[in-house]
Amino acid sequence: MLTMKDINKVFRTNEVQTHALRDFHLQVNEGDFISVTGPSGSGKTTFLNIAGMLEQFSSGQYSLDDIDIGSLNDNQRSRIRNEKIGFIFQSFNLIPDLNLFDNVDVPLRYQSLSSKERKQRIEHYLEMVGLSNRMKHLPSQLSGGQQQRVAIARALATHPRFLLADEPTGNLDTQMAQGVMELLEDINAQGTTIIMVTHDNELANRAKRKIQIKDGRVSELDVVVNQSAASA
Ligand code: ADP
Ligand code: MG
């Protein structure tokens, strides 16, 4: 599904040059649930942003469903992103002056869906994350855990084949983190391919595959294959 070969990413700001990814390689298969761990500043977010086409890479090859991503222009990249990819960010990235219903609707507006279909999806996914009674609330009226659940509903409502999550439980307490993890496991069991960055080793071990990034490189590939998850 996804193949990265020799991906390099260099950030240049004034005097400073940061080599965030170095000869990064990875192959992701349909149905995978991959956890990504590694020290702060090692390139985890950069990798996810490149995988999700939010960021361009400096050199190397990236193909997604046999499409050569490096050869696409901005419009083509956005179209493929909207079609295939869902994002969950650590900081939720909800729009403060839109209620929950409208927040979940934002990415759906880029898909060719009727307003009836959009409404059904919004209600279905807000119910799935336990927030159906709060659809008219603003994000500021919710706890962090609830806001993250809205962000998850927003990502899932687009029916992405590929879900990218950057420390989705980073701002949550243990119990809420468990709930979010269970939600991701369910979605994966239903066929969505997931890559999740986390600093929580316990959660990382529940993935089917586990990779570690250090200094912009994959330092350990598939250290753990979670048999129970892989056969579930
Ligand atoms: P992680 O998510 O593993 O903490 P990041 O991918 O955010 O790491 O960052 C990797 C390296 O790239 C860090 O040294 C960081 O400072 C640098 N970096 C990330 N984004 C930018 C940017 N937009 N401009 C300049 N440097 C950046
Ligand atoms: Mg990060």
Side-chain angles (χ1 to χ4, degrees):
M1 176 177 201
L2 172 154
T3 308
M4 286 188 179
K5 277 187 199 143
D6 297 325
I7 293 284
N8 285 275
K9 175 65 181 179
V10 181
F11 290 107
R12 289 190 182 80
T13 47
N14 300 331
E15 255 69 314
V16 195
Q17 179 170 314
T18 309
H19 211 135
L21 292 180
R22 294 171 190 269
D23 300 332
F24 189 94
H25 64 92
L26 185 68
Q27 165 119 31
V28 179
N29 300 314
E30 188 109 44
D32 269 346
F33 189 155
I34 301 182
S35 64
V36 180
T37 54
S40 175
S42 58
K44 304 182 297 297
T45 294
T46 303
F47 154 62
L48 270 199
N49 287 345
I50 289 175
M53 293 174 265
L54 293 175
E55 192 109 68
Q56 285 184 268
F57 45 97
S58 310
S59 68
Q61 284 175 300
Y62 171 21
S63 68
L64 184 65
D65 293 334
D66 297 323
I67 300 163
D68 178 14
I69 301 302
S71 68
L72 304 180
N73 64 31
D74 284 353
N75 283 340
Q76 292 169 319
R77 274 198 308 273
S78 316
R79 193 168 46 73
I80 290 174
R81 187 190 312 124
N82 292 331
E83 219 171 79
K84 300 180 189 281
I85 298 178
F87 270 100
I88 304 170
F89 302 90
Q90 180 177 7
S91 51
F92 321 140
N93 285 9
L94 300 176
I95 299 173
D97 49 3
L98 295 184
N99 66 31
L100 304 197
F101 185 98
D102 290 334
N103 260 286
V104 177
D105 194 26
V106 169
L108 298 183
R109 288 165 179 267
Y110 293 98
Q111 302 195 336
S112 43
L113 300 169
S114 67
S115 61
K116 184 171 165 234
E117 166 81 11
R118 276 167 33 209
K119 183 170 181 286
Q120 277 171 355
R121 285 211 199 171
I122 296 165
E123 290 173 353
H124 174 78
Y125 286 97
L126 281 173
E127 183 169 353
M128 181 176 175
V129 299
L131 290 169
S132 53
N133 55 346
R134 305 217 173 211
M135 286 194 276
K136 300 293 166 199
H137 283 62
L138 293 173
S140 61
Q141 297 172 302
L142 304 178
S143 71
Q146 289 170 328
Q147 289 185 47
Q148 187 58 299
R149 287 178 358 226
V150 178
I152 291 172
R154 178 183 56 185
L156 297 181
T158 63
H159 291 174
R161 281 182 47 232
F162 194 27
L163 186 64
L164 303 172
D166 196 358
E167 309 214 25
T169 63
N171 288 319
L172 306 182
D173 66 31
T174 315
Q175 200 189 340
M176 287 179 192
Q178 289 295 328
V180 166
M181 188 65 193
E182 279 160 24
L183 208 50
L184 294 178
E185 286 169 339
D186 284 351
I187 293 151
N188 176 245
Q190 287 164 38
T192 303
T193 306
I194 300 180
I195 301 182
M196 174 185 72
V197 168
T198 180
H199 58 256
D200 183 328
N201 260 317
E202 210 175 296
L203 295 184
N205 285 335
R206 281 166 65 170
K208 293 177 183 171
R209 289 173 62 192
K210 187 177 165 185
I211 68 168
Q212 227 179 85
I213 300 184
K214 266 186 197 146
D215 297 326
R217 299 176 194 272
V218 177
S219 73
E220 289 184 70
L221 191 56
D222 296 335
V223 259
V224 171
V225 176
N226 185 338
Q227 288 303 339
S228 60
S231 61

